[in-house]
Amino acid sequence: MRANCWLGRGEVEIQEVPDPKILNSRDAIVRISKTAICGSDLHLFNGFVPTMMKGDVLGHEFMGEVVEVGHDVETLRIGDRVVVPFPIACGRCNTCLAGDFSLCENSNPNAALAEKILGHAPAGIFGYSHMLGGFPGGQAEYARVPFADVGPIKIEDDLPDERVLFLSDILPTGYMGAEFCDITPGDVIAVWGAGPVGQFAVASAFLLGAERVIVIDRFPYRLEMARDNSGAQTLNYEETDVREALLELTGGRGPDACIDAVGLEAHHASPAAYSYDRAKQVARLETDRPFALREAIRNCKNGGIVSVIGVYGGFVDKFPMGSLMNRGLTLRAGQCHVQRYLRPLLDRIRGGEIDPSFVITHRLNLDDAPEGFATFKNKEDECVKVVLTP
């Protein structure tokens, strides 16, 4: 089959790879109908996530048709149309039973490798390095889905693929980021990052009852999308002093909660600040650039909540622990427990409360995935989200 493979920093290529096979009685094979390029895929593309190997198949946002099932899979049948969550979860361990699916204790076969870097191992993830399982991803014609009786959700009506595809990752991720904020009527939420996850964090904050949502980014077209589709207030950090603006917009208190939807490759309006962290990152003295995280912590109101859903891979410098501790902030973070949100969010889509397809700006064939990565990385042609069709 054809698949989009990582060849090294800054290089991907469509290659012929072996077709996936059933390896376990709880596996399924899915013929992929739609897949996507995620912002966190760029961290792999740019070489900032360790334990990638040449030839790894990328992609963790995908859906399609079940074409084969293991004999212990009870919830799926051949021909079912499914969306597949990006975290792989067994459904039976302590964390899965608690609903914390992205922390599954049984789905990461390389747990020992993850423990060396992270302390404890999270769940396996499709197409996202060997410390997270080494599972081939979904930017391909087919994918093997372990624990298929737990993860995939069946789409049993005529909703088009593009309206449900993002249940695989970015819609639940944005929603969980907003849920972390414990939103009550009248709250003001600030979101750093107007990429796809940030767009869904904004929309979800409004769904959960926020009075106002302020989104911070540097690309006018992404800010315009947040205004037009969700009604957010917007700040361009290259043109505006974000701190002064947030204080003015919140009566001097700061936002009730702040969401970091950027992660480890953040930029900064100050060339000096950007150069400092970029140099340390290149020298491997830190792995992540935490500009958005620092700003979210410093600008959140006293006693507020900082929600972190942007991906971080390792270590950050100049973390404002004094601000976090002395001002009584709560920090909440995590890879999304997608399985927890699938049914409620599918119901919201069916009910017309949200149409996630608004973030799609580019539709390409799978063979054009390398072009899609370049366009997405370089923010060319006002690119927000790339969907691929095998």
Side-chain angles (χ1 to χ4, degrees):
M1 70 171 183
R2 299 181 347 274
N4 189 38
C5 299
W6 187 86
L7 300 186
R9 184 171 183 173
E11 186 177 4
V12 296
E13 181 179 277
I14 299 298
Q15 296 186 340
E16 288 290 331
V17 302
D19 290 346
K21 297 180 180 180
I22 297 288
L23 301 179
N24 183 282
S25 62
R26 295 176 68 190
D27 288 350
I29 305 298
V30 172
R31 180 191 294 119
I32 296 169
S33 59
K34 286 286 187 293
T35 183
I37 302 173
C38 183
S40 58
D41 286 330
L42 295 182
H43 306 327
L44 304 174
F45 184 73
N46 292 329
F48 291 123
V49 176
T51 72
M52 290 294 292
M53 295 184 182
K54 185 176 181 179
D56 284 347
V57 178
L58 298 176
H60 57 269
E61 298 179 317
F62 61 95
M63 65 176 295
E65 179 187 351
V66 176
V67 295
E68 189 176 356
V69 294
H71 61 77
D72 285 332
V73 176
E74 298 180 353
T75 58
L76 299 179
R77 296 289 182 269
I78 292 173
D80 284 345
R81 179 173 169 238
V82 295
V83 176
V84 181
F86 78 86
I88 301 167
C90 74
R92 299 176 182 176
C93 67
N94 288 337
T95 53
C96 285
L97 293 175
D100 297 333
F101 296 98
S102 71
L103 303 176
C104 176
E105 297 169 340
N106 293 323
S107 67
N108 186 347
N110 296 333
L113 182 58
E115 288 165 3
K116 291 179 181 179
I117 299 171
L118 303 176
H120 292 277
I125 292 177
F126 290 103
Y128 215 83
S129 83
H130 288 265
M131 75 172 180
L132 297 178
F135 294 96
Q139 290 171 13
E141 294 181 293
Y142 295 87
R144 179 177 76 94
V145 179
F147 303 113
D149 49 341
V150 176
I153 184 170
K154 288 191 285 188
I155 308 298
E156 299 176 305
D157 50 28
D158 59 355
L159 284 171
D161 282 3
E162 290 186 353
R163 288 185 65 186
V164 294
L165 170 62
F166 301 136
L167 287 168
S168 59
D169 176 4
I170 55 174
L171 177 57
T173 295
Y175 188 88
M176 187 175 85
E179 188 179 70
F180 276 168
C181 295
D182 290 345
I183 294 170
T184 58
D187 278 357
V188 178
I189 309 299
V191 178
W192 272 259
V197 169
Q199 298 287 342
F200 289 139
V202 170
S204 297
F206 280 121
L207 285 176
L208 292 172
E211 180 175 306
R212 286 185 292 145
V213 181
I214 305 163
V215 63
I216 301 106
D217 202 285
R218 67 190 177 109
F219 294 101
Y221 69 90
R222 302 205 308 186
L223 294 169
E224 181 181 356
M225 178 178 282
R227 285 194 303 269
D228 292 349
N229 287 280
S230 301
Q233 296 175 272
T234 60
L235 298 175
N236 186 323
Y237 67 77
E238 292 188 332
E239 301 174 354
T240 305
D241 185 307
V242 172
R243 180 168 179 79
E244 288 185 4
L246 288 175
L247 290 174
E248 182 177 349
L249 289 168
T250 59
R253 295 169 58 243
D256 295 286
C258 295
I259 300 174
D260 171 5
V262 180
L264 68 89
E265 290 190 77
H267 290 76
H268 197 279
S270 165
Y274 179 79
S275 297
Y276 171 84
D277 274 285
R278 188 71 183 89
K280 294 202 72 172
Q281 193 178 43
V282 169
R284 296 298 188 259
L285 297 175
E286 66 174 337
T287 58
D288 306 355
R289 301 193 300 263
F291 302 124
L293 179 58
R294 293 183 191 128
E295 285 200 351
I297 291 172
R298 290 191 67 248
N299 285 287
C300 193
K301 77 168 187 181
N302 288 348
I305 295 171
V306 177
S307 166
V308 184
I309 51 174
V311 171
Y312 287 86
F315 303 93
V316 299
D317 191 17
K318 296 187 180 300
F319 183 80
M321 189 64 205
S323 178
L324 186 76
M325 182 269 172
N326 285 288
R327 299 194 299 112
L329 302 181
T330 297
L331 182 66
R332 293 179 175 169
Q335 293 279 10
C336 185
H337 310 301
V338 174
Q339 290 86 337
R340 183 195 299 177
Y341 299 101
L342 287 172
R343 183 62 58 186
L345 288 175
L346 179 58
D347 290 343
R348 285 185 182 269
I349 293 170
R350 284 176 174 151
E353 295 179 69
I354 186 169
D355 178 357
S357 64
F358 77 83
V359 300
I360 302 172
T361 54
H362 290 67
R363 298 167 174 86
L364 302 173
N365 293 323
L366 176 65
D367 290 338
D368 298 321
E371 173 191 335
F373 266 79
T375 301
F376 190 25
K377 174 186 176 178
N378 298 320
K379 306 297 185 291
E380 297 170 346
D381 193 28
E382 298 191 347
C383 182
V384 175
K385 188 66 176 179
V386 180
V387 170
L388 305 170
T389 301

